[in-house]
Amino acid sequence: MDTLLTAEIAANAPRYRRKSSTFIDGIHDISDDQNMAPAQLYSTMSGRLFHSGRIAIVMVGLPARGKTHICVSMARYLSWLGVKTRIFHLGDYRRATVGKGGEVPQDYFYPNASPASMVLRQKILKKCRDDIYAWLNHENGQVAIYDAVNPTASGRRSLAKEFGKHDVQTLFLESYVDDEEILKENARNVKIHSPDFEGMEPDAAAEKYLKRIVEKIPVFETMEEEELNYVKMINAGQAFFYNNVSFNYLSHRIVFYLTNLHIKSRVTYFVRAGAAAEEDSYKSDGPLSEEGQYYAQKMCHAVLKHRENERKQVIDQGGPDLPLRPLTVWTSTRVRTVQTSEPFKELGYKVRQRSQMAQINPGVCEKLSERAIRNLYPEEAEKHELDPYHHRYPRAESYHDLAVRLEPIILELEREQNDLLIIAHESVLRVLYAYLMHCSTMDIPKLKFRRDEIIEIIPAAYQNEAKRLHIPGLDPKKVPRSPEEIRVVTNPPSGELSPIPGLSSPVEQQPPNLVEEPEEEETARPPEKIDNNTKDTLKDRLADED
Amino acid sequence: MPLKTNGIGISVEDTRICVVMVGLPARGKSYIAQKAQRYLKWLSIPAATFNVGNYRRCDAPHPSADFFDTNNVEGERKRRAAAEAAVADMLKWFKKGGVVGILDATNSTKERRQWVMDVVGKHGIDVIFVESKCDEEELIMANIRDVKTTSPDYAGQDPEEAAQDFRNRIRNYEKVYKTINADGDEDQLTYLKIMNVGRQVIINRIQDYLQSRIVYYLMNLHIRPRSVWLSRHGESMLNLEGRIGGDSELSHRGEEYARKLPDLVLESVGSDRPLTVWTSTLQRTIMTARHLPLHYNQLQWKALDELDAGLCDGMTYQEISDLYPEDFKARDEDKYNYRYRGGESYRDVVIRLEPIIMELERSEDILIISHQAVIRCIYAYFMQKSQEDSPWVPVPLHTLLKLTPRAYGTEVQTYKANIKAVSTWRGKGSTAKHEDPAPEGGV
């Protein structure tokens, strides 16, 4: 195998995330990290789940059919479940082969291409496939998602045969779209950043783009191969056709996930619950303190104001004057989260309580200081240090237990069409954030969510974006941190990880006069967008037509 | 379908769903309906099945095949009346707070499906059609054999004649049967079509999470024969003291049960075919499983841990009643919903067990070693126990249960280890350490 080339691709991929950072969606990381499986149900000797063996999920569909969005979401979900998953974009290999600025020949996708084009195509395909085998055979991978157009039935048949020879099962997943509106919408999203279409009417640009696809890839056969396992997703999830020859659980699971997936963009806000009178006690499940109630009011105000501002901005920039998307609030059944949602309830917003979202159970560590834990349970503390994600103190839940319990919530989160505000304990926010932003299990127990901030997650096809919004008007000295946590025993505390840069600075280091500042100035603190490179990657992927 | 909102960013109430079964007779429609209802009710989603055949039988208790001939005007009229009565009752039930109503009938024509859509849709209830389409002769024959012996339509008749008549009835249905969207003009319907026992599936226009959940559940069902074995852990040290919860080790007698369990399982299974063993993460279940044969695969699930009693963990009932008399009373009044301070209710346990049930449905032979409350919840799923009753079911220690799901209910066999143990069952209002006498296992 050409390892050099693989490395080159990884290094050239603009989305490659530095390992230490949790604030960029890590779904595209190429890492050998064993710690990316928050909700793994159980482990087997082989490290593969559901006794399913090795699987190739082969994408089928023309460009502008939302394949990338499906790949990325599926990889996110499967990894979260503990299935070792990796996406192989054939486009990455094509770009690496033809070099920067290079172009494939005009007849590259034609069925009757010239011998030179055929050779080039075979060469690129082989490299990609070799990488897939290497990963499945030597890196203990379980699901390889092969992202390419795969337009012909004969090509797909031989692909399944080839994978079969390597003892890999194949599940095809076709995204089939015949709804003009969806096509145009997808095309508009893809071509936005391309210089080719600059200055064109959006609709005209989309049309031109779609036409170009047809010119480049003249032959496309939708899946009808009876002997193959395939799922056909029609018009972005409006319908599914499922041809099941020999598959079982994992593919059901994927279909279940896909039936809940939708592409419409809606945002998720994460906020913490207000402080309780008895912060340290898990069992007493106490009500909010006075500060907690004050916080609930301020937080509610900040969320609604932010939404209103966003809407105004859209209108000011010439966007359509649409009503706000509905907002739904989810809390756990713990008293303090329910009470924190009261101001929303009073305004008539729908608040749903989910018992699965209760905070992590601290077990014997309840009310104990870190030192006390070390004294009382020295062996446990040592184990915890080694694996803070999976280790479970006596009678306590591990983060892993929490993630498994949160799984139904993840599905509902994907299904939800309304904007969503999640009011929960920090431990719950950590795990949900890790799903949306793909964090390593080593980082999850250390993520920090400040009490005076709202985290907003905006979904996008290629990767999700996170934004932090300040809640004005809170006294920073009275913004408690998270005393109710199981102390994460790490030695030495080398700085807490924050999901978002800047979040980790302890409250005490804030400018002391922050609260004295005039209201106006405070509210003027703009929402900060977490920097990432979505634009670049989109540009890069424009010609992804393999 | 547009989202229902009131315009200022607040959405209106949750949906109600009418699941309409579609398919020829002997395609397992009632089995699917019955399973779906059990699953939903267990999740505390109000669900009920309305079987049109039951309504029709009031009018025509033992009809012959001719009754189902579309040219039989009288038969047609009566069948239509039965469908109308069933739907009317279902709508009444929805008004009283029903969430998922299942209409169990053939609904084999486009006209009938349109009629259901119109009548039910008018009340703002979403309709999802679930069609079972099957041409596998063997499965149909198995269903026919089942029907001729169990259907009230053929009660007291010669089985061979009944089977023949039933085949004729199916033929009469086949004359008018149209699979969903056969002509391409039913594309607007929300439906799930399962063809040839899951070889092909079509899912169309799923509208919300609950619908997707139902669809997912139905896709996980399988009809291969299998059993589920349930056992509590052996008697624990805290059991001896009459204390709840905790994470104690087994008592001497509990250890004795652990040693005997392999024989008990072998006796029940009847061969050395291996089971997969699921335990909780607490010591007492792991210790109970440790003498089982090595070729049994063992998995630990946090979700199988005992109901968390929160502040009351490790107390005796007397202590709870002394310290929290109001809580103690409240729990007896509504044991299913009562949540221990800082702990869990039976309802919470059911919710966390949901992934386990999904795994169970798709798996084959499983032995679960868990705890009283958890076993009660799993038992309630298979036996359709109500929420009032399930938290009170006696599940004695040192007893192995074998549950075998059948088409119209679950079969239970009990294997006693004959090793003495304290009783942990508690009657309403009682604070006894060990109830005496304890009821014979209700299971």
Side-chain angles (χ1 to χ4, degrees):
Chain A
M1 188 193 81
D2 192 350
T3 41
L4 260 179
L5 180 67
T6 312
E8 185 187 286
I9 289 168
N12 287 338
R15 62 203 166 274
Y16 188 58
R17 185 176 78 170
R18 278 169 299 124
K19 271 217 177 84
S20 57
S21 143
T22 52
F23 58 86
I24 288 177
D25 188 355
I27 191 66
H28 297 290
D29 282 9
I30 301 169
S31 76
D32 49 10
D33 193 346
Q34 301 288 313
N35 306 314
M36 297 304 290
Q40 188 163 351
L41 286 175
Y42 50 82
S43 55
T44 56
M45 286 302 281
S46 66
R48 298 195 182 108
L49 271 192
F50 308 120
H51 314 292
S52 286
R54 296 172 307 170
I55 297 165
I57 297 179
V58 177
M59 301 302 296
V60 176
L62 291 167
R65 265 68 180 176
K67 286 200 303 299
T68 304
H69 175 68
I70 297 166
C71 285
V72 169
S73 307
M74 206 160 47
R76 192 187 297 287
Y77 179 64
L78 290 175
S79 318
W80 198 80
L81 281 181
V83 179
K84 210 174 164 198
T85 308
R86 184 163 145 191
I87 308 174
F88 295 84
H89 299 286
L90 191 57
D92 289 345
Y93 290 83
R94 192 199 58 228
R95 274 187 293 278
T97 307
V98 299
K100 247 199 157 103
E103 285 256 2
V104 293
Q106 182 61 35
D107 66 347
Y108 183 75
F109 295 100
Y110 291 5
N112 55 349
S114 69
S117 295
M118 295 279 256
V119 168
L120 178 65
R121 200 158 69 191
Q122 288 309 322
K123 186 177 155 200
I124 293 169
L125 285 174
K126 187 170 181 303
K127 268 180 192 156
C128 181
R129 245 173 272 157
D130 284 349
D131 269 9
I132 292 178
Y133 295 139
W135 184 71
L136 291 173
N137 291 333
H138 305 303
E139 293 177 54
N140 217 14
Q142 183 169 11
V143 173
I145 301 178
Y146 176 52
D147 182 16
V149 175
N150 295 308
T152 65
S154 62
R156 295 188 293 256
R157 284 200 175 97
S158 56
L159 197 59
K161 218 185 206 169
E162 244 235 52
F163 281 132
K165 266 190 232 154
H166 287 78
D167 204 17
V168 177
Q169 280 183 292
T170 311
L171 169 67
F172 290 92
L173 177 53
E174 175 176 353
S175 176
Y176 177 82
V177 180
D178 61 3
D179 182 319
E180 285 299 321
E181 277 312 304
I182 298 175
L183 275 180
K184 273 191 190 155
E185 178 68 29
N186 284 350
R188 271 197 291 269
N189 287 340
V190 178
K191 64 101 219 127
I192 284 174
H193 305 284
S194 164
D196 289 11
F197 302 98
E198 215 158 276
M200 284 181 80
E201 275 291 304
D203 276 350
E207 227 158 84
K208 185 174 167 196
Y209 177 75
L210 291 173
K211 229 177 172 172
R212 196 191 271 184
I213 291 171
V214 178
E215 280 162 17
K216 272 194 143 175
I217 312 172
V219 176
F220 180 83
E221 298 158 3
T222 186
M223 288 206 75
E224 267 156 11
E225 296 91 313
E226 263 172 44
E227 75 282 15
L228 300 180
N229 288 303
Y230 67 87
V231 175
K232 195 188 290 195
M233 186 174 181
I234 300 159
N235 288 331
Q238 183 192 89
F240 290 87
F241 181 82
Y242 185 75
N243 193 57
N244 181 18
V245 182
S246 60
F247 256 79
N248 43 49
Y249 188 57
L250 200 55
S251 49
H252 287 317
R253 194 102 193 181
I254 290 168
V255 173
F256 177 40
Y257 179 74
L258 291 176
T259 55
N260 280 300
L261 196 65
H262 64 87
I263 316 181
K264 293 188 200 84
S265 78
R266 61 135 192 95
V267 301
T268 308
Y269 305 99
F270 287 149
V271 295
R272 295 192 43 191
E278 242 186 300
E279 272 289 281
D280 263 347
S281 178
Y282 166 78
K283 284 180 180 170
S284 67
D285 191 13
L288 287 184
S289 64
E290 216 170 281
E291 274 119 50
Q293 285 169 15
Y294 181 71
Y295 161 82
Q297 292 290 345
K298 286 285 168 195
M299 184 272 290
C300 172
H301 182 73
V303 170
L304 297 182
K305 188 151 187 202
H306 166 70
R307 287 165 56 78
E308 201 43 58
N309 284 345
E310 294 260 287
R311 178 167 167 263
K312 258 192 219 135
Q313 252 177 36
V314 171
I315 297 170
D316 289 349
Q317 288 167 4
D321 183 4
L322 296 172
L324 274 172
R325 241 191 324 265
L327 177 72
T328 301
V329 181
W330 289 1
T331 71
S332 75
T333 46
R334 306 281 296 178
V335 172
R336 79 167 72 151
T337 65
V338 175
Q339 289 188 350
T340 307
S341 73
E342 284 296 329
F344 288 96
K345 215 172 178 180
E346 278 159 25
L347 291 170
Y349 287 91
K350 196 162 107 189
V351 178
R352 295 179 65 193
Q353 295 179 23
R354 332 298 322 262
S355 63
Q356 295 102 320
M357 286 185 5
Q359 72 196 68
I360 199 164
N361 185 336
V364 295
C365 297
E366 184 177 4
K367 291 184 185 172
L368 292 183
S369 71
E370 183 179 328
R371 184 188 306 185
I373 294 173
R374 278 188 189 281
N375 283 337
L376 283 167
Y377 306 100
E379 280 171 32
E380 297 291 336
E382 212 167 285
K383 282 190 210 155
H384 190 86
E385 223 163 276
L386 290 175
D387 191 355
Y389 187 82
H390 293 96
H391 173 259
R392 182 191 292 136
Y393 278 107
R395 314 300 315 286
E397 271 178 312
S398 65
Y399 271 91
H400 175 243
D401 296 331
L402 178 61
V404 170
R405 143 156 94 77
L406 282 170
E407 208 245 318
I409 297 290
I410 296 288
L411 270 300
E412 282 198 68
L413 196 92
E414 285 294 349
R415 155 67 57 181
E416 184 64 57
Q417 308 236 352
N418 294 350
D419 284 346
L420 189 61
L421 173 72
I422 294 178
I423 303 175
H425 186 265
E426 195 169 29
S427 54
V428 174
L429 298 184
R430 284 174 179 148
V431 173
L432 294 178
Y433 183 91
Y435 166 73
L436 289 170
M437 301 303 282
H438 202 73
C439 304
S440 153
T441 52
M442 289 310 282
D443 296 339
I444 293 171
K446 292 180 262 173
L447 295 175
K448 278 276 152 207
F449 292 86
R450 282 175 53 141
R451 271 253 171 70
D452 62 350
E453 278 182 343
I454 303 160
I455 303 293
E456 180 181 22
I457 309 240
I458 304 152
Y462 200 66
Q463 55 184 198
N464 293 337
E465 291 175 38
K467 250 188 200 176
R468 49 198 283 241
L469 314 163
H470 180 65
I471 303 173
L474 296 173
D475 181 349
K477 286 186 208 100
K478 287 191 177 169
V479 176
R481 297 170 68 195
S482 24
E484 70 276 17
E485 272 308 290
I486 301 175
R487 273 51 167 196
V488 176
V489 189
T490 43
N491 62 4
S494 57
E496 290 151 334
L497 269 172
S498 146
I500 289 171
L503 253 182
S504 58
S505 55
V507 177
E508 292 82 340
Q509 285 172 20
Q510 295 273 321
N513 62 344
L514 190 67
V515 85
E516 271 87 44
E517 278 174 5
E519 258 297 277
E520 295 84 345
E521 183 133 4
E522 267 221 350
T523 38
R525 188 160 144 189
E528 280 173 65
K529 201 173 124 187
I530 311 310
D531 181 44
N532 69 26
N533 37 26
T534 312
K535 264 187 196 167
D536 299 340
T537 56
L538 272 180
K539 204 187 293 171
D540 185 50
R541 305 190 52 76
L542 182 65
D544 239 4
E545 283 130 14
D546 303 76
Chain B
M1 194 178 276
L3 278 170
K4 295 165 194 154
T5 69
N6 64 1
I8 58 157
I10 298 169
S11 58
V12 295
E13 267 323 287
D14 278 330
T15 48
R16 291 167 298 168
I17 300 171
C18 173
V19 177
V20 181
M21 303 304 301
V22 175
L24 292 168
R27 262 65 178 184
K29 289 190 304 296
S30 295
Y31 176 75
I32 296 171
Q34 178 251 121
K35 280 292 237 187
Q37 178 190 331
R38 164 195 314 228
Y39 171 69
L40 292 163
K41 280 179 89 163
W42 184 75
L43 287 174
S44 298
I45 296 168
T49 305
F50 298 84
N51 182 304
V52 173
N54 289 340
Y55 287 82
R56 187 257 306 147
R57 267 185 283 277
C58 303
D59 233 7
H62 304 293
S64 68
D66 305 337
F67 181 84
F68 299 93
D69 188 335
T70 37
N71 296 322
N72 182 338
V73 182
E74 182 60 10
E76 186 75 4
R77 189 188 62 75
K78 281 188 175 171
R79 289 193 295 132
R80 172 93 189 196
E84 278 167 9
V87 170
D89 275 4
M90 180 165 65
L91 289 173
K92 264 189 231 154
W93 175 81
F94 271 120
K95 282 213 180 85
K96 283 187 289 179
V99 174
V100 181
I102 303 169
L103 185 65
D104 183 11
T106 54
N107 297 306
S108 51
T109 65
K110 266 199 288 196
E111 293 71 30
R112 177 57 60 90
R113 294 194 284 267
Q114 191 55 48
W115 174 76
V116 175
M117 271 301 279
D118 291 345
V119 176
V120 177
K122 239 185 359 217
H123 293 79
I125 295 160
D126 291 341
V127 177
I128 172 168
F129 293 92
V130 174
E131 177 169 357
S132 170
K133 186 171 182 287
C134 175
D135 308 320
E136 240 170 68
E137 202 51 39
E138 209 173 295
L139 193 86
I140 299 170
M141 282 314 293
N143 271 323
I144 290 176
R145 271 194 299 275
D146 205 29
V147 166
K148 77 181 178 195
T149 48
T150 59
S151 168
D153 282 357
Y154 296 110
Q157 289 192 28
D158 174 66
E160 280 321 303
E161 276 173 35
Q164 190 51 48
D165 186 82
F166 192 59
R167 270 192 215 106
N168 290 338
R169 184 196 292 193
I170 295 174
R171 229 157 268 147
N172 274 326
Y173 272 107
E174 276 170 349
K175 284 188 221 155
V176 292
Y177 170 63
K178 221 167 221 157
T179 181
I180 297 175
N181 208 20
D183 302 338
D185 56 357
E186 288 179 291
D187 192 42
Q188 291 308 312
L189 302 183
T190 294
Y191 65 87
L192 165 70
K193 194 193 287 195
I194 302 172
M195 290 168 282
N196 294 324
V197 209
R199 282 276 305 238
Q200 283 95 27
V201 178
I202 298 176
I203 304 167
N204 197 52
R205 293 188 189 273
I206 296 298
Q207 305 288 350
D208 64 18
Y209 178 70
L210 185 52
Q211 291 180 4
S212 82
R213 193 104 228 176
I214 295 170
V215 165
Y216 175 54
Y217 175 76
L218 294 178
M219 285 170 70
N220 268 305
L221 285 185
H222 70 76
I223 43 178
R224 293 181 294 279
R226 60 84 170 269
S227 298
V228 174
W229 285 264
L230 303 176
S231 169
R232 290 178 62 189
H233 52 82
E235 182 186 70
S236 74
M237 298 308 283
L238 285 186
N239 284 154
L240 283 177
E241 295 170 31
R243 295 184 181 279
I244 64 171
D247 187 10
S248 62
E249 300 191 347
L250 296 182
S251 70
H252 276 299
R253 295 190 299 200
E255 178 57 29
E256 208 182 316
Y257 175 68
R259 287 183 190 283
K260 183 147 185 197
L261 189 59
D263 292 338
L264 212 55
V265 171
L266 195 64
E267 180 197 335
S268 171
V269 177
S271 70
D272 60 356
R273 141 177 81 110
L275 307 183
T276 300
V277 184
W278 294 353
T279 66
S280 75
T281 63
L282 297 170
Q283 290 192 68
R284 52 193 187 275
T285 64
I286 296 167
M287 287 173 80
T288 305
R290 75 178 159 189
H291 300 297
L292 288 164
L294 285 174
H295 64 288
Y296 284 20
N297 200 6
Q298 293 202 13
L299 303 170
Q300 292 174 20
W301 293 82
K302 185 75 186 169
L304 288 173
D305 280 6
E306 179 61 312
L307 184 144
D308 180 358
L311 278 179
C312 299
D313 185 71
M315 292 186 188
T316 64
Y317 287 116
Q318 188 60 52
E319 286 167 354
I320 298 172
S321 129
D322 291 347
L323 271 164
Y324 306 105
E326 278 168 26
D327 282 71
F328 192 75
K329 229 178 114 215
R331 183 156 199 262
D332 272 1
E333 269 159 22
D334 187 358
K335 198 173 175 186
Y336 188 80
N337 288 302
Y338 171 79
R339 180 180 291 133
Y340 275 109
R341 292 175 183 229
E344 288 180 303
S345 66
Y346 270 84
R347 181 184 294 278
D348 295 338
V349 172
V350 162
I351 291 170
R352 77 159 137 96
L353 280 175
E354 211 257 327
I356 298 265
I357 291 298
M358 210 63 96
E359 281 276 316
L360 261 183
E361 279 300 347
R362 72 167 197 94
S363 310
E364 303 201 347
D365 294 331
I366 303 280
L367 164 60
I368 297 178
I369 300 176
S370 182
H371 307 262
Q372 181 164 260
V374 174
I375 300 266
R376 277 172 175 158
C377 293
I378 297 174
Y379 182 80
Y381 169 75
F382 281 106
M383 305 306 289
Q384 287 227 56
K385 285 272 169 199
S386 73
Q387 295 171 2
E388 290 78 49
D389 297 338
S390 63
W392 301 97
V393 170
V395 189
L397 286 165
H398 300 177
T399 306
L400 179 70
L401 298 174
K402 179 185 179 187
L403 306 183
T404 311
R406 301 252 185 250
Y408 291 97
T410 307
E411 211 177 272
V412 188
Q413 280 163 284
T414 308
Y415 299 83
K416 291 204 166 295
N418 296 319
I419 296 166
K420 274 202 162 173
V422 297
S423 159
T424 58
W425 182 84
R426 183 184 70 89
K428 224 171 234 189
S430 162
T431 56
K433 241 187 203 172
H434 304 300
E435 201 94 341
D436 197 30
E440 263 306 292
V443 297

